[in-house]
Amino acid sequence: MKSKILLALLFAFSLKLSAQTGVGFHLGGSYYFGLKPMVNLGGNFIVPIKENPIEFGLSYHLPFSITSTDYANPFSSANSQITVDVKERFAIWDIRASYRYYFNDNEFEDGGWYAQGGVALGIGTDNVSVLTNYDKSQYYMSDFYSNSKHVFIQPYLHVVLGYDKVLDNDQMMGGQLYVNITNSTYNSRTGSSEDVTIPGCIGLRLTYTLPLGN
């Protein structure tokens, strides 16, 4: 209920702004380096500051699965290490804020080519399933496999090259080529002291924007 009230107030505030704002959504594809391509979708809110607005966005990268092989270790030296099949299902959210610069002295309402620079935060989930049945009284695996769900957090620099085409009804269609750049030495994962990286990514978003205000 509180979230609905907040959204309603935000919408009303946008309508009263003297300069245009915009809300929109996007659909596209992304590739996190070393993983698999992912479909992404989400929305954004654009607040112009003269010709250079700030874009706040949220994207959800649809889940994908990876199957790999790992090892179960014996409790007793009388037994040997055995291999087991493991399935991991990943999904990633990213939350971002970036400053937009229009080329050719354009403003938000003019559309055209622009560049963006800012920050993003990646939040990933990893659901782990051990596919191979083994005798747990004789063998054990690391805590990572004992806990079926893990959360990863990763900050990024967010860089965008985009274009908006203004339609006859003042709505906008466009696209964004973006890169999330990360320092892989800063990572965290719940339930484990081991560092894990959500890698940087490159992607393309097709965008629709609805201007609000005067």
Side-chain angles (χ1 to χ4, degrees), residues 1 17 22 38 41 64 85 88 104 120 147 153-154 179-180 183 186 202:
M1 184 63 182
L17 290 178
M38 307 174 75
L41 51 89
F64 68 94
D85 293 326
E88 298 182 61
N104 300 320
N147 299 314
I153 299 173
Q154 182 71 57
V179 181
N180 283 342
N183 177 0
Y186 181 88
I202 187 169

Side-chain angles (χ1 to χ4, degrees), residues 21-186:
T21 66
V23 294
F25 63 85
H26 62 263
L27 175 67
S30 55
Y31 175 67
Y32 281 84
F33 302 115
L35 299 178
K36 291 183 178 181
M38 307 174 75
V39 174
N40 72 74
L41 51 89
N44 55 31
F45 179 68
I46 302 166
V47 184
I49 302 174
K50 296 183 179 179
E51 68 273 14
N52 302 129
I54 296 176
E55 178 180 316
F56 300 93
L58 173 68
S59 293
Y60 178 58
H61 304 263
L62 299 185
F64 68 94
S65 297
I66 293 177
T67 302
S68 59
T69 300
D70 212 293
Y71 297 94
N73 299 300
F75 287 111
S76 169
S77 59
N79 297 321
S80 301
Q81 192 178 57
I82 60 173
T83 59
V84 295
D85 293 326
V86 177
K87 181 179 180 181
E88 298 182 61
R89 184 172 174 82
F90 296 93
I92 300 174
W93 291 84
D94 75 69
I95 305 167
R96 58 189 182 276
S98 52
Y99 179 81
R100 181 180 292 191
Y101 172 79
Y102 279 95
F103 301 114
N104 300 320
D105 295 324
N106 282 356
E107 297 185 4
F108 168 72
E109 62 186 12
D110 301 319
W113 290 99
Y114 59 86
Q116 284 181 199
V119 295
L121 183 68
I123 303 172
T125 60
D126 181 10
N127 290 287
V128 182
S129 303
V130 178
L131 303 179
T132 303
N133 292 321
Y134 64 94
D135 187 348
K136 294 183 180 179
S137 67
Q138 298 293 323
Y139 297 90
Y140 68 94
M141 298 188 71
S142 70
D143 290 341
F144 179 76
Y145 299 106
S146 299
N147 299 314
S148 60
K149 185 173 183 177
H150 305 274
V151 177
F152 309 81
I153 299 173
Q154 182 71 57
Y156 300 105
L157 293 177
H158 184 65
V159 181
V160 177
L161 176 64
Y163 180 82
D164 274 335
K165 171 66 175 177
V166 181
L167 307 178
D168 293 338
N169 55 8
D170 292 333
Q171 298 175 43
M172 299 176 178
M173 298 292 294
Q176 294 181 338
L177 176 66
Y178 67 92
V179 181
N180 283 342
I181 304 167
T182 180
N183 177 0
S184 61
T185 61
Y186 181 88

